[in-house]
């Protein structure tokens, strides 16, 4: 007896499209609670060195529920955010926000913050 296989399709609402079938899961860092705590400590320690404020912001990607967080850092010399830090894959990118210039890729958020102002000692960090 021979059996025919038919492909099944699931109905999707008109505004949604099915995700491509793949076994690859993109890895990307995101701002975690421990990052927020370190950012707060770094900001407090750097007030005397011209750091003014920092904020973690999120943005939606293509109307999805998924968000990507980035960090904006203000320094005393400017009313606009001077730096942006955001995840890029398994690294963190530091951007001169005023000049829109990428300053470098770093293995951890702590290293990116240290590049802006080295106000806290860097510890050996195993992951993100």
């Amino acid at each position: 007896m021979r059996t025919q296989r038919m492909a099944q399709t699931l109905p999707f609402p008109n505004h949604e499209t099915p995700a491509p079938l793949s076994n690859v899961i993109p890895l990307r860092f995101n701002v975690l609670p421990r990052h927020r705590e370190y950012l707060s400590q770094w900001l407090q320690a750097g007030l005397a060195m011209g750091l003014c404020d920092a904020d973690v912001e999120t943005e939606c990607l293509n109307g999805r529920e998924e968000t990507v967080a980035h960090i904006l850092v203000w320094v005393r010399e400017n009313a606009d955010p001077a730096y942006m830090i955001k995840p890029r894959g398994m690294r963190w990118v530091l951007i001169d926000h005023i000049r829109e210039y990428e300053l470098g890729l770093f293995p951890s958020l702590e290293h990116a913050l240290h590049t802006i102002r080295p106000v806290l000692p860097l510890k050996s960090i195993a992951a993100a």
Side-chain angles (χ1 to χ4, degrees), residues 64-114:
R64 296 182 187 171
E65 292 179 21
E66 183 181 1
T67 59
V68 172
H70 62 267
I71 298 168
L72 295 174
V73 177
W74 283 263
V75 295
R76 183 177 18 220
E77 299 84 21
N78 258 320
D80 294 324
Y83 300 97
M84 177 190 283
I85 303 171
K86 59 184 180 178
R88 181 183 293 162
M90 297 298 290
R91 301 182 67 87
W92 296 87
V93 60
L94 174 61
I95 299 168
D96 179 328
H97 194 259
I98 295 168
R99 294 172 190 85
E100 298 179 5
Y101 180 77
E102 189 173 306
L103 299 171
L105 285 170
F106 299 90
S108 69
L109 175 63
E110 292 82 354
H111 281 87
L113 293 171
H114 189 79

Side-chain angles (χ1 to χ4, degrees), residues 4 9-10 13 21 25 28 49 52 57 59-60 68 72 74 83 101 113 116 118:
Q4 280 188 334
T9 58
L10 298 174
L21 298 175
I25 299 171
R28 181 187 67 228
M49 289 183 68
C52 285
E57 295 187 3
E59 53 191 44
C60 290
V68 172
L72 295 174
W74 283 263
Y83 300 97
Y101 180 77
L113 293 171
I116 296 171

Side-chain angles (χ1 to χ4, degrees), residues 2-18:
R2 188 172 174 180
T3 309
Q4 280 188 334
R5 290 184 128 179
M6 297 182 68
Q8 288 186 334
T9 58
L10 298 174
F12 286 92
N14 291 338
H15 65 281
E16 291 184 25
T17 57

